[in-house]
Amino acid sequence: MRRRGPETNLRPAMTRALTALARWQTARPWAFVVAAALVTLGAAPLALSLTLDGDLIALLPQETRAVRDLAAIRARFAAPQSLALCVWSDDVDARRRFVEELAPRLAALSDEGVLSVDYTVAQYGDFVRENRHLYLPYDDLVRARDALEERRSYEACRANPFCVLLDDEPASIEEQLEAHRGQAERDNYLVNRYPDGLYRHPDGRSVSVFLRTDIHGGAHERVQALIAAARRVVEAMEPTRYAPDLRVEYGGAVLEMHEEQESLARAAAWASAITILLVMLAVLVFFRRPRSLVILPLGLVPPVALTFAFAALAVGSLNASSAFLSSIVIGNGVNSHIMWLARYFERRRAGDAPEDALRAAHLSTWGATLAAAGAAAIAYASLAVTEFRAFRDFGIIGGVGMVLCWVSSIALTPALAALWDRWRPLAAASASPARASLYGRALSRVALGAPRLVLALAAVLTVLGAVVIQRWAAADPIEYDFRNLQSLRPDGPLQRTNARIGRSVYQATHGSALAILAASPEDAEHVRAQLEASARARPDLFGAIRDVQHLLPADQARKLPVLRAIREHLLAMRPHADEATQRRIDEEIPAEHLRELGPEDLPEPIARPFIERDGTRGSLVYVENAPGRSQTDGRYLVEWTAAARAPTNRDGSPVAVAGTVPVMADLVSAIRADGPKAVALSFAATVLLILLAFRSMRARSLTLAAHLVGIVWMVGVMAAAGMKVNFLNFVALPITFGNGVDYGVNVMRRYLDEREGAGARDAAAAAIRETGGAVTLCSLTTIIGYLALYTSPNQAVNSFGAAMSISEVTCVAAAVVALPAALALGARAAR
């Protein structure tokens, strides 16, 4: 039986080039190794400089409205973030002394990014007491005026001997003054809520202090420096000197972002380490040769280093989506190395000399592995053409990684194998064919034992999968419960502290409200009116609406004439009152020169959330979520964000809306907009690559059919398991179009090499035994890379790992079981 050599399918120029390459790698392996080492050393510093930005805003393109609006607000306002300190003690006086001494020390940390320290509303309380008459309700002032007028008339009548008093005696001046004493403070939310001026928890056992900073989540080193500096200040004060039970806990958005980023970095490192360990274990089980544990890792080091050096230049930093690409690049990029090494060991077992084995491995694997790596790179590239940075950065890094890993599998791994063969030659008699096809023989029995049954079962599963997918898609598979995108952590100190702080302040202070920026303070009043109208129409969307005006007295223009009348009545009655009453009148009488108060009159600490960098006050409006509505409900967030963005400035220009909520809403919109685009591009590129990889239309159609079957199975399993699509696991679909085709292309290529001179069944059996085992190992290493993502506490990352693992299983099953079964039946039966 004459078997066609793989080189007969190649252009002579490629055959000569690969032959020359094999000769150079055998004669001068050290040259390739040294060159790779130099490249790695050059790339390592740049790769290690790559930073991690765990902020959700890093997932969106700069053109997204949430990003543009946040930039607009950051340009005009200095401190959108806070590090919060929760100070505990049952000794109220000691707690107050500690906080009052702590605040100026924290404010001195300007070099660490502290812009201001917010811990008290005491100055606002003084302001309200000083202007208490303007803070009284208008109707109450009218009643007081009328009552004083009545009392004045009564006193005048009583002093006139000709006046007859028919009505009951009205309330005395003392009674009327006492009725309104302290009412302004009682009616004011902030003054009433914090009677001692500090941000006190409702149970009275702790107070909160806020360090305002413009450091955002991506500035990891600055965040670390700020947290460390705050801790040093607190420790230097020795809290227990003030009270034995006094302690300080830390929270706030800055610390939460810091811990999330630390957790992300740790999980990414663990994922890479676990991937390397388990991949090497799988390689050892498959090859059962210790040299493979050295050759494969060394072959991956240069391309991985170059990949992340390129990432440092191309994308600047990793984000929550791309943080785990090191384990994915390793688990997926090793595939072409495995395919080459499996073929090399096969030829060495057959008795070929090292140079001949290198040449045979090059000629028989370069086309299939290049097609597979190219398909994977194109799949990643389909993500890179989208605007969504969660997709784009992932695609850029992954695509470059696949190409570089393939180049290394042809250039470096063969040189390493030749170098090892010089040291310890691989004896032809040391292994039998059965030894190298442990996985392949098992798969061969499954696929070829009853090929018709295999194909029938594949067809049934495909139809069932299509039905399940249709129902899943009709029900909207987008993940709207954002709790399922958060990190799963025990209810630790940070979570408990943040929950306590959240109950100590209103949302505008804590940072969970929507911030709406108008063009000017006058526009802010126009925007607030629109929001209030929307809130009346849709109370299920909006909670409290707060701007700088809510800190000022309402209806001032209407109150001023009434207060002047009250002053006139009190002055008229004062000469006729006793000395004690005169003192009370002097204490409570409205000031002579009353005027309307404006934002510029408010004490700076309480007005700070509304003060722009240039000192302008009043352009910002805060909108809290509706009572009973959760900020983890994606559907509500999308609707709430849209309603908050609906108001316009007086000239019709849009307002800027910032906060976590618009970011999450735009993430959902980005998936809807860019997801289908990425899938379509990836699918089109995969089809084109298959057309270029094979000349036979039958080979093309069967390879594509097997791949599509694997895709249907994958999505069907996700749908049956109730998985929802989020900003990360959606990436699995376009990537699977590129990665999953790898297996079918390799099996089909080996089948065609074996087919000449052999029957369809024998060729299919040989393809499974020799290539199917290596393909399965490739899938196993890739699955390991994805399962390692479960080291992350983040559920979105976990869901991506699950989706990709499912895709690997389904695509490899279609490629090494269903496809060989169809090939074994021959052309007529397969149709």
Side-chain angles (χ1 to χ4, degrees), residues 589-641:
I589 191 170
E592 180 179 1
H593 301 293
L594 283 176
R595 63 178 179 83
E596 286 193 44
L597 301 175
E600 65 281 355
D601 297 307
L602 288 168
E604 192 271 343
I606 195 66
R608 190 176 293 127
F610 304 95
I611 301 177
E612 300 182 40
R613 294 180 187 271
D614 64 0
T616 302
R617 300 184 178 195
S619 300
L620 207 58
V621 181
Y622 290 99
V623 180
E624 300 180 7
N625 60 274
R629 301 301 297 270
S630 172
Q631 292 195 15
T632 61
D633 179 355
R635 288 186 174 88
Y636 169 62
L637 295 194
V638 170
E639 195 174 5
W640 184 30
T641 299

Side-chain angles (χ1 to χ4, degrees), residues 476 478-482 507 512-514 531 534-535 538-545 622-645 657 660-666 668-669 672:
D476 190 0
I478 300 293
E479 178 62 84
Y480 291 104
D481 187 350
F482 290 162
Q507 290 182 20
S512 55
L514 285 177
L531 290 169
S534 298
R538 291 291 308 273
D540 58 319
L541 285 183
F542 294 97
I545 299 170
Y622 290 99
V623 180
E624 300 180 7
N625 60 274
R629 301 301 297 270
S630 172
Q631 292 195 15
T632 61
D633 179 355
R635 288 186 174 88
Y636 169 62
L637 295 194
V638 170
E639 195 174 5
W640 184 30
T641 299
R645 287 171 170 169
V657 181
T660 303
V661 170
V663 175
M664 298 300 290
D666 284 354
V668 173
S669 300
R672 287 173 168 168

Side-chain angles (χ1 to χ4, degrees), residues 745-818:
V745 167
N746 278 288
V747 170
M748 179 60 76
R749 173 54 59 196
R750 187 56 184 265
Y751 170 81
L752 295 175
D753 287 346
E754 300 287 341
R755 184 68 177 88
E756 182 145 331
R761 184 183 180 87
D762 292 338
I768 299 177
R769 279 197 309 270
E770 299 298 343
T771 300
V775 162
T776 304
L777 175 60
C778 290
S779 179
L780 179 59
T781 61
T782 304
I783 289 172
I784 289 170
Y786 291 128
L787 289 181
L789 301 184
Y790 273 85
T791 57
S792 170
N794 186 274
Q795 296 179 86
V797 174
N798 297 163
S799 69
F800 172 67
M804 288 306 305
S805 298
I806 292 169
S807 76
E808 285 296 317
V809 173
T810 58
C811 287
V812 82
V816 302
V817 177

Side-chain angles (χ1 to χ4, degrees), residues 141-463:
L141 289 174
V142 169
R143 282 193 291 269
R145 180 199 62 190
D146 294 345
L148 285 171
E149 184 176 357
E150 184 180 357
R151 183 70 196 189
R152 184 179 176 184
S153 298
Y154 174 82
E155 294 291 346
C157 184
R158 193 173 66 169
N160 185 348
F162 301 103
C163 182
V164 179
L165 295 171
L166 300 177
D167 297 328
D168 295 334
E169 181 179 355
S172 67
I173 297 176
E174 293 87 345
E175 291 172 334
Q176 293 184 43
L177 292 175
E178 185 63 31
H180 297 290
R181 177 183 289 273
Q183 181 181 351
E185 292 89 333
R186 291 192 301 272
D187 290 347
N188 186 274
Y189 167 76
L190 287 177
V191 178
N192 182 54
R193 173 69 178 78
Y194 307 113
D196 61 354
L198 302 181
Y199 290 123
R200 189 181 64 179
H201 189 272
D203 66 11
R205 300 191 61 207
S206 68
V207 297
S208 298
V209 179
F210 298 92
L211 280 71
R212 305 299 183 185
T213 176
D214 58 0
I215 301 174
H216 59 87
H220 187 52
E221 292 182 358
R222 292 189 65 199
V223 169
Q224 283 183 309
L226 172 62
I227 294 170
R231 291 184 186 275
R232 285 195 300 271
V233 168
V234 171
E235 291 168 4
M237 291 182 64
E238 301 181 30
T240 52
R241 287 195 303 108
Y242 294 80
D245 67 336
L246 197 149
R247 71 182 192 275
V248 178
E249 296 176 353
Y250 298 86
V254 168
L255 185 59
E256 193 167 21
M257 287 188 297
H258 171 70
E259 289 212 351
E260 184 73 24
Q261 188 144 317
E262 288 278 295
S263 172
L264 197 64
R266 285 194 301 270
W270 272 108
S272 298
I274 291 171
T275 298
I276 292 170
L277 179 63
L278 294 182
V279 164
M280 291 304 101
L281 180 61
V283 165
L284 181 61
V285 170
F286 178 77
F287 286 116
R288 284 174 283 178
R289 297 185 183 281
R291 68 183 64 196
S292 61
L293 298 182
V294 177
I295 294 172
L296 289 178
L298 290 179
L300 284 172
V301 169
V304 172
L306 277 173
T307 295
F308 289 97
F310 174 82
L313 297 173
V315 301
S317 63
L318 299 176
N319 55 44
S321 174
S322 57
F324 293 85
L325 267 170
S326 56
S327 62
I328 296 172
V329 169
I330 292 169
N332 202 351
V334 75
N335 291 355
S336 54
H337 297 254
I338 288 173
M339 297 304 298
W340 186 92
L341 199 58
R343 187 62 164 166
Y344 175 76
F345 284 162
E346 178 190 341
R347 297 315 307 159
R348 290 289 283 137
R349 285 196 308 270
D352 285 1
E355 182 179 335
D356 294 335
L358 255 69
R359 176 179 179 274
H362 284 337
L363 295 177
S364 60
T365 63
W366 83 271
T369 56
L370 176 60
I378 290 172
Y380 284 111
S382 69
L383 297 172
V385 299
T386 66
E387 296 181 355
F388 187 26
R389 285 187 64 190
F391 290 176
R392 190 199 68 192
D393 293 3
F394 197 101
I396 291 172
I397 300 170
V400 170
M402 293 304 100
V403 173
L404 292 175
C405 284
W406 179 83
V407 171
S408 180
S409 73
I410 291 295
L412 179 58
T413 295
L416 291 168
L419 191 61
W420 196 286
D421 246 339
R422 281 189 178 185
W423 177 48
R424 300 199 54 167
L426 189 63
S430 64
S432 65
R435 178 179 176 180
S437 54
L438 179 65
Y439 299 166
R441 286 184 291 115
L443 291 169
S444 180
R445 284 195 294 270
V446 173
L448 304 181
R452 294 181 186 276
L453 177 62
V454 167
L455 289 179
L457 181 60
V460 170
L461 291 176
T462 303
V463 172

Side-chain angles (χ1 to χ4, degrees), residues 551-615:
L551 298 172
L552 293 167
D555 299 322
Q556 295 186 69
R558 298 173 64 200
K559 291 176 181 177
L560 287 174
V562 178
L563 288 169
R564 294 190 187 101
I566 291 174
R567 176 181 173 81
E568 178 188 344
H569 291 319
L570 289 174
L571 288 175
M573 290 186 288
R574 185 181 185 281
H576 308 288
D578 57 40
E579 186 175 344
T581 303
Q582 285 182 352
R583 286 197 301 270
R584 293 290 303 279
I585 290 175
D586 292 342
E587 291 172 358
E588 299 297 333
I589 191 170
E592 180 179 1
H593 301 293
L594 283 176
R595 63 178 179 83
E596 286 193 44
L597 301 175
E600 65 281 355
D601 297 307
L602 288 168
E604 192 271 343
I606 195 66
R608 190 176 293 127
F610 304 95
I611 301 177
E612 300 182 40
R613 294 180 187 271
D614 64 0

